[in-house]
Amino acid sequence: MSQHTYRLIVSCPDRVGIVAAVSGFLSRHGGWIIEASQHADQGLGWFFMRYEIRADSLPFDDKGLREAFAPIAEDFGMQWQVTDAQVPKRVVVMVSRLDHCLTDLLYRWRSQEMFFDIPCVISNHEDMRDYVEWHGIPFHHVPVDRNDKAPAFAEVTRLVEACEADAVVLARYMQILPPDMCARYAGRIINIHHSFLPSFVGAKPYHKAFQRGVKLIGATSHYVTEELDAGPIIEQDVIRVRHDDSIEELIRLGRDVEKAVLARGLRYHLEDRVLVHGNKTVVFD
Amino acid sequence: MSQHTYRLIVSCPDRVGIVAAVSGFLSRHGGWIIEASQHADQGLGWFFMRYEIRADSLPFDDKGLREAFAPIAEDFGMQWQVTDAQVPKRVVVMVSRLDHCLTDLLYRWRSQEMFFDIPCVISNHEDMRDYVEWHGIPFHHVPVDRNDKAPAFAEVTRLVEACEADAVVLARYMQILPPDMCARYAGRIINIHHSFLPSFVGAKPYHKAFQRGVKLIGATSHYVTEELDAGPIIEQDVIRVRHDDSIEELIRLGRDVEKAVLARGLRYHLEDRVLVHGNKTVVFD
Amino acid sequence: MSQHTYRLIVSCPDRVGIVAAVSGFLSRHGGWIIEASQHADQGLGWFFMRYEIRADSLPFDDKGLREAFAPIAEDFGMQWQVTDAQVPKRVVVMVSRLDHCLTDLLYRWRSQEMFFDIPCVISNHEDMRDYVEWHGIPFHHVPVDRNDKAPAFAEVTRLVEACEADAVVLARYMQILPPDMCARYAGRIINIHHSFLPSFVGAKPYHKAFQRGVKLIGATSHYVTEELDAGPIIEQDVIRVRHDDSIEELIRLGRDVEKAVLARGLRYHLEDRVLVHGNKTVVFD
Amino acid sequence: MSQHTYRLIVSCPDRVGIVAAVSGFLSRHGGWIIEASQHADQGLGWFFMRYEIRADSLPFDDKGLREAFAPIAEDFGMQWQVTDAQVPKRVVVMVSRLDHCLTDLLYRWRSQEMFFDIPCVISNHEDMRDYVEWHGIPFHHVPVDRNDKAPAFAEVTRLVEACEADAVVLARYMQILPPDMCARYAGRIINIHHSFLPSFVGAKPYHKAFQRGVKLIGATSHYVTEELDAGPIIEQDVIRVRHDDSIEELIRLGRDVEKAVLARGLRYHLEDRVLVHGNKTVVFD
């Protein structure tokens, strides 16, 4: 918990010697690895790695670690980053009227179960202002004009930039983001979709599930891309339903799955456990 | 287990007095209800009911029960049937080369975990002949000519008729049945599809699941209708997969889900627990 | 949802004619049954029943229904009750410092996902006062002197009586109630225990689970009886853990299970779906 | 699947440089790591590691790999082994009259879903002879005299030795092994217990579960130690049950969990994914 660590995240073409190079580098500097995850995708010929290293075992800080590691990264053609686990990510939460995911995230934030900052909450409705502000978090109401959405998303973008957010969570925001925003924050916007994707893309998935007569309903947290509900999946889960569950009960049962799946997905993201490759994710859970 | 029961299965337009009429009828004849399930679908205005009644508590056999109950059924406009739980249903199993579902069903049959007869197994390959015949079950090899499938399905239909089957199970049969066969045995052909429908309809669902990067894979047992993988769903389940699971591993993990979902679906069918209404099922599990 | 209903809950020795008598009675008065659940326990020879009836279909209110039904109840030796689904149960929530279950219940109450009143929250610590009072709910701090607990529980009892509570929820209260309180509110105090009972009774179950090296951890909601963690179980669930999960992580993962299991157990109780018989429950979920 | 690999399994006191030493060694010899798992238990100060290495990337065979690696193992005080994934483990299966686990394992063996040899099946009953021998596997009937069990276990031990077994699976064998046998094959006898341990140790766990009124039942695969049902747990799972499930139905539902949990546990063992430390396991699944 309180142990100070750096995280080294790497992906590169697979070949012999990557682990040896990275772990040898760390070992030479006394780096104590407390958690190590690797994955070699043989089909893609691609290698993924996440190391968590005790900060107090290294002779430099994260900036020094980056400088020292850069030549190795160069050698192997790595995409890589070093993060400091003690620096909380800044996550803007966007919400519409449905507040279960927001409430759940606020609790996990407030109780320090999950480690992140919420510089602000943005909503197209006023409903959640009081609850959010009780937490001491700024609340911005940005209404969306259905005939001209551009100004609203310009304002959202301005707010996200102004608070120097690392990530945006769409906690049942119910509005489709414009392509330029998806592109600008690629791999940094997490959505919760209230179905087990790829089933029931788009609006009203619980109604569609009810019509189809499925025996399980689900939820999916994924990175947002331009194509609706088609981005890289981070986490999914399901819950059993029965013939006597109405649409209202599907919606009720689904809420608990949505909360859990969004929270787990965000946790993985905050802890740098998600590596995106193409349209898929490696999740070192 | 060994208790002799009749099952009374009813569905009709919902209104006041159905339960009273049916249970009053049974009570007048001393009928001891050991299991009762009802469902009123308020959206459809339709009522569903399944009673399991001790045979030794009634003054007549199943034929007598049918005759005595017919006037009530008439009054309420019921679709209904009475079945004798001691009469095993006759289930033809059709299989291709993948034998896990067949093997699983044979064990559940042999061990009497599930109560049914298997008059024969039909396959488009010879592979399973020895194993099936070891069980004392006739095995019919009916090859399917990909350029002219009609003769094969004519032969399959002839075999199904000849053995007076009550139901047909497609235990990974891998061939699409012709529309006339689907229509002829509506509500009596059960298929296991190796995905969580409606995701990944059609061929190679594990490959599609792998491509999409889903975090759970599943299986669905459903009644076969003319439209591929679109019939009423009886049962579904899923299993968690990870980024390091190859397609081969998805196929392996999926097998256990397929076996379980097919066996549960068939059990519900054998015990007259599934009531089809439109394209959905009520399952009194 | 908004439909006004009465619930008729019955248990009695099993015999022929119970369903006929009850449904016949309702039918004579035009009673429209929208949900019906029955269970005949053949081992015990005991019958359990729950009917949900449209209020607008009956010619009397709940008091009238009770009067009209009483003779039938008498005939069959029934334990029974009629409840009005529109009258919220009054539930006192007791909590210690761990606030995840309380927060979860407050959300489900506030969002009207679950239908009940919270006349007050009682805690042996001050920590949750602000959050509770933000909801407009009275908060009572009743410290427990570990050398003389009787005064505290006398005060708790006084508060519970004063607010005319129907039920008490121990939402991780962390104090053992005295036997007289358990007896006084038998079948009306619900506890959440943070293990899959009967494993790990008593204190520090996550530590015990960690020591034993189990691969799943769980939670149990149950009615409180004098014997610790031994009362009738209402609901249970589990979550998978791994060798690399520390005790802290078990505690974190367990919280979500506790919340879900307590909420589901309380929901069943609020909707009169739980019938206690001996030390077991029938749950008409 | 068909790729030839060696597995290097290591555990030792944790310190800086272990991964660097092992991966550096492999890298110097061109070793291509296709799967790597590590775990540092900070509480115990112990490190666990499993590498799967392409055989064709190394300049020596498994014997050569052992010789070359020995000095490193010496330096770090490692417990270690190298196994050849192409050499199937030899697993004796012991069974009583309940045949569901045996049948399941035979299918997974026959279909090559799991990679191992079954040199023989040993049973205290004759029931399964035909089915086992149909598979071409020797069947030994070793009756157990309840007044003098020693001769039976002497014979069992003789048979296990004679076929040079690597492991023994108790697939619902229903007899308690004598302490000397537990000691002799420590970490090599896998039992399936039909409860979610530590709940319901010993005989008739389903009856105990029914009496307690639990809402989930489970199964546990574990290494056998002298203390009954107390050895290191490899795998567990559960299934939901309801108030209307009789003991017979618990037994039926439990069978599927037992099969799955034993098969997964054995698979982990066969693939050298289980590292025992004290009374707990690290499972690199």
Side-chain angles (χ1 to χ4, degrees):
Chain A
M1 277 291 130
S2 55
Q3 204 167 30
H4 185 194
T5 59
Y6 299 127
R7 299 176 193 137
L8 175 58
I9 317 297
V10 163
S11 74
C12 62
D14 197 12
R15 65 178 233 210
V16 171
I18 305 172
V19 177
V22 177
S23 62
F25 160 79
L26 290 171
S27 177
R28 283 194 301 279
H29 294 288
W32 187 295
I33 304 165
I34 62 164
E35 192 179 329
S37 310
Q38 287 124 267
H39 170 55
D41 187 315
Q42 296 197 70
L44 297 170
W46 211 260
F47 180 81
F48 305 87
M49 170 186 257
R50 178 188 184 276
Y51 274 9
E52 190 136 5
I53 307 138
R54 281 174 54 173
D56 65 3
S57 70
L58 289 170
F60 29 56
D61 63 6
D62 57 327
K63 188 161 167 293
L65 176 52
R66 271 182 216 103
E67 285 169 6
F69 186 70
I72 293 168
E74 180 90 4
D75 279 357
F76 286 84
M78 291 174 175
Q79 296 159 12
W80 66 289
Q81 59 172 329
V82 168
T83 63
D84 181 338
Q86 280 192 344
V87 177
K89 288 194 172 46
R90 299 172 59 78
V91 180
V92 169
V93 182
M94 298 184 70
V95 69
S96 186
R97 278 206 166 99
L98 295 169
D99 62 348
H100 54 285
C101 286
L102 172 65
T103 301
D104 184 72
L105 291 182
L106 285 175
Y107 176 72
R108 296 184 199 268
W109 166 79
R110 178 171 96 234
S111 64
Q112 298 180 287
E113 179 187 304
M114 280 165 59
F115 180 63
F116 63 117
D117 283 347
I118 306 180
C120 71
V121 169
I122 301 174
S123 180
N124 52 338
H125 295 282
E126 277 286 0
D127 308 43
M128 293 303 294
R129 179 180 295 279
D130 280 1
Y131 191 71
V132 169
E133 291 183 348
W134 182 86
H135 289 79
I137 296 172
F139 178 92
H140 302 292
H141 178 212
V142 182
V144 178
D145 178 342
R146 62 165 55 197
N147 297 310
D148 182 12
K149 299 189 172 188
F153 289 112
E155 173 65 3
V156 168
T157 304
R158 196 191 61 75
L159 288 166
V160 170
E161 289 300 311
C163 67
E164 297 179 348
D166 297 297
V168 175
V169 167
L170 308 183
R172 300 300 309 275
Y173 177 57
M174 312 297 279
Q175 295 283 336
I176 297 173
L177 300 192
D180 62 321
M181 228 188 125
C182 299
R184 181 171 190 158
Y185 302 108
R188 294 194 288 149
I189 308 178
I190 297 174
N191 183 46
I192 179 71
H193 183 72
H194 40 313
S195 83
F196 180 75
L197 289 174
S199 289
F200 311 131
V201 164
K204 294 200 174 292
Y206 292 125
H207 291 72
K208 292 173 187 166
F210 181 83
Q211 289 304 327
R212 182 60 186 94
V214 292
K215 300 302 185 185
L216 301 163
I217 56 170
T220 305
S221 57
H222 64 96
Y223 290 113
V224 172
T225 57
E226 189 175 340
E227 188 184 346
L228 184 64
D229 299 328
I233 294 171
I234 307 171
E235 174 63 343
Q236 304 187 285
D237 214 339
V238 295
I239 193 171
R240 190 162 284 272
V241 296
R242 292 161 46 101
H243 59 259
D244 51 6
D245 288 316
S246 62
I247 291 177
E248 289 70 30
E249 284 165 306
L250 298 195
I251 291 170
R252 171 177 68 79
L253 290 163
R255 277 198 292 263
D256 281 345
V257 185
E258 294 168 37
K259 289 188 288 190
V261 166
L262 177 57
R264 288 206 296 267
L266 178 57
R267 164 180 293 276
Y268 296 147
H269 180 87
L270 295 174
E271 296 181 354
D272 302 305
R273 296 183 180 282
V274 190
L275 285 74
V276 177
H277 190 84
N279 204 45
K280 295 175 66 173
T281 61
V282 169
V283 180
F284 289 128
D285 61 346
Chain B
M1 282 289 129
S2 57
Q3 204 166 32
H4 185 193
T5 58
Y6 299 126
R7 298 176 193 137
L8 174 59
I9 317 297
V10 163
S11 74
C12 62
D14 197 12
R15 65 177 232 209
V16 171
I18 306 172
V19 177
V22 177
S23 63
F25 161 79
L26 289 172
S27 178
R28 283 194 301 278
H29 293 290
W32 188 296
I33 303 165
I34 62 165
E35 192 178 329
S37 311
Q38 286 125 268
H39 171 55
D41 187 315
Q42 296 197 71
L44 297 170
W46 211 259
F47 180 81
F48 305 87
M49 169 185 259
R50 179 188 184 276
Y51 273 10
E52 190 138 4
I53 307 138
R54 280 173 56 173
D56 65 3
S57 70
L58 288 170
F60 31 56
D61 63 5
D62 57 327
K63 189 161 166 292
L65 176 51
R66 272 183 215 104
E67 285 169 5
F69 187 70
I72 293 168
E74 181 89 2
D75 279 358
F76 286 83
M78 290 174 174
Q79 294 160 12
W80 65 289
Q81 59 171 330
V82 168
T83 62
D84 181 340
Q86 280 192 343
V87 176
K89 287 195 173 46
R90 299 171 61 76
V91 181
V92 169
V93 182
M94 297 184 71
V95 69
S96 186
R97 277 205 167 99
L98 294 169
D99 62 349
H100 53 286
C101 286
L102 173 65
T103 301
D104 184 71
L105 291 182
L106 287 175
Y107 175 72
R108 295 184 200 268
W109 167 80
R110 179 170 96 232
S111 65
Q112 298 179 289
E113 179 185 304
M114 281 166 58
F115 180 62
F116 64 117
D117 283 346
I118 306 178
C120 69
V121 169
I122 301 174
S123 179
N124 52 338
H125 295 282
E126 277 285 359
D127 307 44
M128 293 303 292
R129 177 179 296 279
D130 280 1
Y131 191 70
V132 169
E133 292 183 347
W134 182 86
H135 288 80
I137 296 172
F139 179 91
H140 301 292
H141 178 212
V142 182
V144 178
D145 179 342
R146 63 164 54 196
N147 297 310
D148 182 12
K149 299 190 172 188
F153 289 113
E155 174 63 5
V156 167
T157 303
R158 197 191 62 75
L159 287 167
V160 170
E161 291 298 309
C163 68
E164 298 180 346
D166 297 299
V168 174
V169 167
L170 307 183
R172 301 299 310 276
Y173 177 58
M174 313 297 277
Q175 295 283 335
I176 297 173
L177 299 192
D180 62 321
M181 228 187 124
C182 298
R184 180 170 191 161
Y185 302 107
R188 294 195 286 149
I189 308 178
I190 297 173
N191 183 47
I192 179 72
H193 183 71
H194 41 312
S195 85
F196 181 75
L197 290 174
S199 289
F200 311 129
V201 164
K204 294 200 174 287
Y206 292 126
H207 290 72
K208 293 172 187 166
F210 182 84
Q211 290 303 328
R212 182 61 186 93
V214 292
K215 300 302 185 185
L216 300 163
I217 55 170
T220 304
S221 58
H222 65 94
Y223 290 112
V224 172
T225 57
E226 191 174 340
E227 188 183 347
L228 185 64
D229 298 330
I233 293 171
I234 307 171
E235 174 63 345
Q236 302 187 287
D237 215 339
V238 295
I239 193 170
R240 191 161 282 275
V241 296
R242 291 161 48 100
H243 59 259
D244 52 6
D245 287 314
S246 62
I247 291 177
E248 289 70 31
E249 283 164 308
L250 299 195
I251 291 171
R252 171 177 69 78
L253 290 163
R255 276 199 292 262
D256 281 345
V257 186
E258 295 168 36
K259 288 188 289 189
V261 166
L262 177 57
R264 288 206 295 268
L266 179 58
R267 163 180 293 277
Y268 296 149
H269 180 87
L270 295 174
E271 296 180 354
D272 302 306
R273 296 183 181 281
V274 190
L275 285 74
V276 177
H277 191 82
N279 203 43
K280 296 175 64 172
T281 61
V282 169
V283 179
F284 290 129
D285 60 345
Chain C
M1 278 290 128
S2 55
Q3 203 167 30
H4 186 194
T5 59
Y6 299 127
R7 298 176 193 136
L8 174 60
I9 317 297
V10 163
S11 74
C12 63
D14 197 12
R15 65 178 232 212
V16 171
I18 305 171
V19 176
V22 177
S23 62
F25 160 80
L26 289 171
S27 177
R28 283 193 300 279
H29 293 289
W32 187 296
I33 304 165
I34 61 164
E35 191 179 331
S37 310
Q38 286 124 268
H39 171 55
D41 188 314
Q42 296 197 69
L44 297 170
W46 210 260
F47 180 82
F48 306 85
M49 170 185 257
R50 179 187 184 278
Y51 274 10
E52 190 137 4
I53 307 138
R54 281 174 54 172
D56 65 2
S57 70
L58 289 171
F60 29 56
D61 63 5
D62 57 326
K63 188 162 166 292
L65 176 53
R66 270 182 217 104
E67 285 168 6
F69 187 70
I72 293 168
E74 181 88 3
D75 280 358
F76 286 84
M78 290 174 174
Q79 296 160 12
W80 65 290
Q81 58 172 330
V82 168
T83 62
D84 181 339
Q86 278 192 344
V87 176
K89 288 195 173 46
R90 297 172 62 77
V91 181
V92 169
V93 182
M94 299 183 69
V95 69
S96 188
R97 277 207 167 98
L98 295 168
D99 62 349
H100 53 286
C101 286
L102 173 64
T103 301
D104 184 72
L105 291 181
L106 286 175
Y107 176 72
R108 295 183 199 268
W109 166 80
R110 178 170 97 233
S111 65
Q112 298 180 288
E113 178 186 305
M114 281 166 58
F115 180 62
F116 64 117
D117 282 347
I118 306 179
C120 70
V121 169
I122 302 173
S123 179
N124 52 339
H125 296 283
E126 277 285 0
D127 307 44
M128 293 304 294
R129 178 179 295 280
D130 281 0
Y131 191 72
V132 169
E133 291 183 347
W134 182 86
H135 289 79
I137 296 172
F139 178 91
H140 302 292
H141 178 211
V142 182
V144 178
D145 179 342
R146 63 165 55 198
N147 297 310
D148 183 12
K149 300 189 171 186
F153 289 112
E155 174 64 4
V156 167
T157 304
R158 195 190 64 74
L159 288 165
V160 170
E161 291 299 310
C163 67
E164 298 180 348
D166 297 298
V168 175
V169 167
L170 308 183
R172 299 299 309 276
Y173 178 57
M174 311 298 277
Q175 296 282 334
I176 296 172
L177 300 192
D180 62 321
M181 230 187 123
C182 298
R184 182 170 189 159
Y185 302 107
R188 294 194 287 149
I189 309 177
I190 296 174
N191 182 47
I192 179 71
H193 183 71
H194 42 312
S195 83
F196 181 75
L197 290 174
S199 289
F200 312 130
V201 165
K204 293 200 174 292
Y206 292 126
H207 290 72
K208 293 172 186 165
F210 182 83
Q211 290 304 325
R212 182 61 186 93
V214 293
K215 301 300 185 187
L216 301 164
I217 57 171
T220 305
S221 58
H222 65 94
Y223 290 113
V224 171
T225 57
E226 190 174 340
E227 189 183 345
L228 185 64
D229 299 330
I233 293 170
I234 307 171
E235 174 62 344
Q236 303 188 285
D237 215 338
V238 295
I239 193 170
R240 190 162 284 273
V241 296
R242 293 161 46 101
H243 59 259
D244 51 6
D245 287 315
S246 63
I247 291 176
E248 290 70 31
E249 282 164 308
L250 299 194
I251 291 171
R252 171 176 69 77
L253 290 164
R255 277 200 292 263
D256 281 345
V257 186
E258 295 168 35
K259 289 188 288 190
V261 167
L262 177 56
R264 287 206 297 267
L266 178 58
R267 164 181 292 276
Y268 296 148
H269 180 87
L270 295 174
E271 297 181 353
D272 303 305
R273 296 183 181 282
V274 191
L275 286 72
V276 177
H277 191 84
N279 204 44
K280 297 174 66 173
T281 61
V282 169
V283 179
F284 289 128
D285 61 344
Chain D
M1 281 288 129
S2 57
Q3 204 167 30
H4 185 194
T5 59
Y6 299 127
R7 299 176 191 136
L8 174 60
I9 318 296
V10 162
S11 74
C12 63
D14 197 12
R15 65 177 233 211
V16 170
I18 305 172
V19 176
V22 177
S23 63
F25 160 79
L26 289 171
S27 177
R28 283 193 301 279
H29 293 289
W32 188 296
I33 303 166
I34 61 164
E35 191 179 330
S37 311
Q38 287 123 269
H39 171 56
D41 187 316
Q42 295 198 70
L44 297 170
W46 210 261
F47 180 81
F48 305 87
M49 170 186 257
R50 179 188 183 278
Y51 274 9
E52 191 137 4
I53 307 138
R54 280 174 55 172
D56 64 3
S57 71
L58 288 170
F60 29 56
D61 63 6
D62 57 328
K63 188 162 169 291
L65 176 52
R66 272 183 214 103
E67 286 169 5
F69 187 69
I72 292 169
E74 180 89 2
D75 279 359
F76 286 84
M78 292 174 174
Q79 296 159 11
W80 65 290
Q81 58 172 330
V82 168
T83 62
D84 181 339
Q86 279 192 344
V87 176
K89 288 195 173 46
R90 300 172 60 78
V91 181
V92 168
V93 182
M94 298 183 70
V95 69
S96 187
R97 277 207 167 97
L98 295 169
D99 61 349
H100 53 286
C101 286
L102 172 64
T103 301
D104 184 72
L105 291 182
L106 286 175
Y107 176 72
R108 296 183 199 269
W109 166 80
R110 179 170 96 236
S111 64
Q112 297 180 289
E113 178 185 305
M114 281 166 57
F115 181 62
F116 64 118
D117 283 346
I118 307 179
C120 69
V121 170
I122 301 174
S123 180
N124 53 339
H125 295 283
E126 278 285 0
D127 307 44
M128 293 303 293
R129 179 179 296 278
D130 281 1
Y131 191 71
V132 170
E133 291 183 347
W134 182 85
H135 289 79
I137 296 172
F139 179 91
H140 301 292
H141 178 212
V142 182
V144 178
D145 179 343
R146 63 163 56 195
N147 297 310
D148 183 11
K149 300 189 171 188
F153 290 113
E155 174 64 4
V156 167
T157 303
R158 196 190 63 74
L159 288 166
V160 170
E161 291 299 310
C163 67
E164 298 180 347
D166 297 299
V168 175
V169 167
L170 307 183
R172 298 301 307 278
Y173 177 58
M174 312 298 277
Q175 296 283 335
I176 297 172
L177 299 192
D180 62 322
M181 231 188 121
C182 298
R184 181 170 189 160
Y185 302 107
R188 294 195 287 149
I189 309 179
I190 297 174
N191 183 46
I192 179 70
H193 183 72
H194 40 312
S195 84
F196 182 74
L197 289 174
S199 289
F200 311 129
V201 165
K204 293 197 175 293
Y206 291 126
H207 290 72
K208 292 172 186 165
F210 182 84
Q211 289 303 326
R212 181 62 186 93
V214 293
K215 301 301 184 186
L216 299 164
I217 56 170
T220 304
S221 58
H222 65 94
Y223 289 113
V224 172
T225 57
E226 190 174 340
E227 189 183 346
L228 185 64
D229 299 330
I233 293 170
I234 307 171
E235 174 64 344
Q236 303 188 285
D237 214 337
V238 294
I239 193 170
R240 191 161 282 273
V241 296
R242 293 162 46 101
H243 59 259
D244 52 6
D245 287 315
S246 62
I247 292 176
E248 289 71 30
E249 283 165 307
L250 299 195
I251 291 171
R252 170 176 69 79
L253 290 163
R255 276 199 293 263
D256 281 344
V257 186
E258 295 168 36
K259 288 187 289 189
V261 167
L262 177 56
R264 288 206 294 267
L266 178 57
R267 164 181 294 275
Y268 296 148
H269 180 87
L270 295 175
E271 296 181 354
D272 302 306
R273 296 182 180 281
V274 190
L275 286 73
V276 177
H277 191 83
N279 203 45
K280 296 174 66 172
T281 61
V282 169
V283 179
F284 290 128
D285 61 345

